[in-house]
Amino acid sequence: MRKLIYTILLSCCSVLLYAQERTVQNRPYTDLRPFHFGVMVGAHLQDLELLNVGLQTIDFEDGNGVQEKLVSADQDRWDAGFTVGVLGELRLNQTFQFRVAPAMYFGTRHLTFRNLTDLNANGQPTEERQDLKTAYVSCAFDLIAAAPRFNNHRPYLMMGVNPMLNLSGKSDDFIKLKGGDVFLEFGVGCDFYLPYFKLRPELKFMYGLGDCLDKTHAKELKNKQMLMYTNSVSEAHSKMIALTFYFE
């Protein structure tokens, strides 16, 4: 039994030692370039944090006078989208790089509004839904701190800011977002040096720094019955989780 244990331990040590051996490096000089370009594709999940106002007073201007309504609004799931873009990266030193990455983020947020004042025949709140389409043009500015390269991989941490321009939004939606937002982003990734290119998978978390709700949208509504849903939210903050693949 003791001999078996010794044999297993020696085998494990041999495997570990072999794993730490240096191998032939692909593209050994690629990180020495002062500046380089690439492309990016990926997927993301987006969410919208909504702050509800609670009980509100609405004048429908339909002869029924002023009424009190209680409506809650929520995006009750993370909705998927996709990302495409390009990048340019500047080498600062052996550890740090500065990256500029213009991109487009496409997706749809599914919002649910529950009218807690007007109940249906089953005594349940009536519901309205909105598919809030989003199309962002962004330009991320990121600082990357990478570990020393070992063989054909190199892990790193990143953080930065990502201003975005929102190209979507309709005047007949319950909720409309502002034309711009700024995201704080941070994440992790790893460079994989392949024979013909460098592949970089990256997972990052993004949080909108400002209130992205368009508070002037209520004045654009022609149907006053929508006011109870539009005015049910006082603030909105965007969040995203993005998995991106960079090809350099």
Side-chain angles (χ1 to χ4, degrees), residues 9 14-15 19 52 57 78 88 100-101 159-161 171-172 177 190 247:
L9 290 176
S14 300
V15 171
N52 292 284
T57 302
W78 288 80
V100 179
M159 69 175 302
V161 293
S171 59
D172 57 348
L177 301 183
C190 187
F247 300 87

Side-chain angles (χ1 to χ4, degrees), residues 100-151:
V100 179
M104 294 196 70
Y105 290 75
F106 300 95
T108 302
R109 295 184 172 102
H110 300 277
L111 307 181
T112 302
F113 299 85
R114 295 179 176 86
N115 187 342
L116 305 176
T117 305
D118 303 325
L119 306 181
N120 58 25
N122 298 323
Q124 300 295 324
T126 55
E127 293 187 355
E128 294 286 348
R129 301 183 185 276
Q130 175 185 339
D131 289 337
L132 182 61
K133 297 185 181 300
T134 55
Y136 290 108
V137 177
S138 73
C139 187
F141 301 91
D142 299 319
L143 182 65
I144 297 173
R149 174 176 175 174
F150 183 80
N151 291 337

Side-chain angles (χ1 to χ4, degrees):
M1 184 65 180
R2 186 174 300 176
K3 291 182 178 180
L4 179 60
I5 295 175
Y6 287 153
T7 302
I8 294 175
L9 290 176
L10 289 174
S11 299
C12 292
C13 291
S14 300
V15 171
L16 291 175
L17 289 173
Y18 178 78
Q20 297 300 318
E21 288 182 357
R22 294 283 181 176
T23 60
V24 176
Q25 290 188 350
N26 296 321
R27 303 178 64 82
Y29 306 109
T30 187
D31 289 335
L32 300 179
R33 295 173 296 174
F35 191 81
H36 59 273
F37 296 94
V39 297
M40 54 183 282
V41 295
H44 65 269
L45 299 173
Q46 51 182 313
D47 187 29
L48 197 63
E49 289 185 356
L50 302 174
L51 179 61
N52 292 284
V53 301
L55 191 65
Q56 56 180 309
T57 302
I58 302 293
D59 185 1
F60 292 102
E61 300 179 1
D62 58 358
N64 294 324
V66 177
Q67 301 181 29
E68 289 188 337
K69 298 292 183 180
L70 181 59
V71 177
S72 68
D74 183 35
Q75 181 182 343
D76 51 8
R77 68 187 188 192
W78 288 80
D79 292 304
F82 67 95
T83 311
V84 293
V86 296
L87 70 100
E89 188 169 297
L90 175 66
R91 182 181 187 269
L92 302 179
N93 54 38
Q94 188 174 358
T95 301
F96 293 100
Q97 299 94 45
F98 180 71
R99 181 177 67 196
V100 179
M104 294 196 70
Y105 290 75
F106 300 95
T108 302
R109 295 184 172 102
H110 300 277
L111 307 181
T112 302
F113 299 85
R114 295 179 176 86
N115 187 342
L116 305 176
T117 305
D118 303 325
L119 306 181
N120 58 25
N122 298 323
Q124 300 295 324
T126 55
E127 293 187 355
E128 294 286 348
R129 301 183 185 276
Q130 175 185 339
D131 289 337
L132 182 61
K133 297 185 181 300
T134 55
Y136 290 108
V137 177
S138 73
C139 187
F141 301 91
D142 299 319
L143 182 65
I144 297 173
R149 174 176 175 174
F150 183 80
N151 291 337
N152 288 311
H153 58 272
R154 188 185 190 193
Y156 67 88
L157 301 174
M158 58 77 62
M159 69 175 302
V161 293
N162 194 347
M164 292 191 178
L165 180 64
N166 183 19
L167 302 180
S168 59
K170 298 185 295 183
S171 59
D172 57 348
D173 284 338
F174 291 118
I175 285 180
K176 187 178 179 181
L177 301 183
K178 292 179 180 178
D181 200 357
V182 178
F183 288 79
L184 176 67
E185 56 185 29
F186 57 93
V188 296
C190 187
D191 293 334
F192 292 95
Y193 300 85
L194 304 179
Y196 299 105
F197 61 91
K198 182 171 73 173
L199 172 64
R200 171 183 286 177
E202 179 181 281
L203 178 66
K204 65 181 178 181
F205 302 87
M206 308 165 62
Y207 187 80
L209 298 178
D211 179 10
C212 62
L213 181 67
D214 185 356
K215 294 182 173 61
T216 65
H217 179 54
K219 300 177 182 179
E220 303 174 359
L221 295 176
K222 297 180 180 179
N223 183 3
K224 298 303 179 181
Q225 296 295 325
M226 299 172 60
L227 278 174
M228 71 176 83
Y229 304 107
T230 302
N231 292 337
S232 66
V233 178
S234 60
E235 288 186 15
H237 295 272
S238 295
K239 297 186 297 183
M240 292 189 192
I241 301 175
L243 176 62
T244 310
F245 297 90
Y246 299 88
F247 300 87
E248 303 174 13

